[in-house]
């Protein structure tokens, strides 16, 4: 969006810190890995301001899915479990 180009570097940095902080809280708060990571990726892509919502959501879903598979299958890392299984 055009509004992203009017943000100062300090504003972008603060927004990025906020996004990461909320992602960390969501992970430790029992929301699991998939939903918080998708939302975080979507926010970062939209913060860049170069894609529309649908494209950004598709890319965020791809990044989330690939990273999930990389951690679970490729590296054998256990990711945070969700306290809300219907959010899986």
């Amino acid at each position: 969006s055009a509004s992203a180009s009017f943000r100062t570097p300090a504003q972008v940095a603060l927004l990025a810190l906020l996004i990461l902080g909320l992602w960390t809280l969501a992970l430790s708060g029992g929301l699991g890995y998939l939903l918080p990571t998708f939302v975080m990726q979507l926010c970062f892509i939209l913060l860049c301001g170069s894609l529309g919502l649908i494209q950004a959501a598709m890319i965020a879903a791809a990044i989330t899915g690939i990273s999930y598979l990389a951690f679970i299958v490729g590296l054998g890392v256990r990711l945070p479990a969700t306290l809300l299984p219907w959010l899986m």
Side-chain angles (χ1 to χ4, degrees):
S1 75
S3 63
S5 63
F6 295 110
R7 293 188 183 111
T8 67
Q11 289 171 324
V12 171
L14 286 173
L15 287 170
L17 282 173
L18 177 64
I19 293 166
L20 283 175
L22 291 173
W23 176 69
T24 303
L25 285 174
L27 286 177
S28 62
L31 290 180
Y33 178 80
L34 293 176
L35 181 63
T37 302
F38 170 77
V39 172
M40 176 196 64
Q41 294 294 337
L42 181 62
C43 289
F44 278 140
I45 293 167
L46 292 174
L47 183 61
C48 291
S50 59
L51 297 175
L53 182 60
I54 300 299
Q55 287 178 316
M58 290 171 40
I59 292 170
I63 292 170
T64 301
I66 291 168
S67 66
Y68 181 81
L69 289 175
F71 280 115
I72 296 291
V73 177
L75 300 172
V77 174
R78 288 182 43 190
L79 296 173
T82 181
L83 297 177
L84 307 168
W86 54 270
L87 280 178
M88 177 59 187

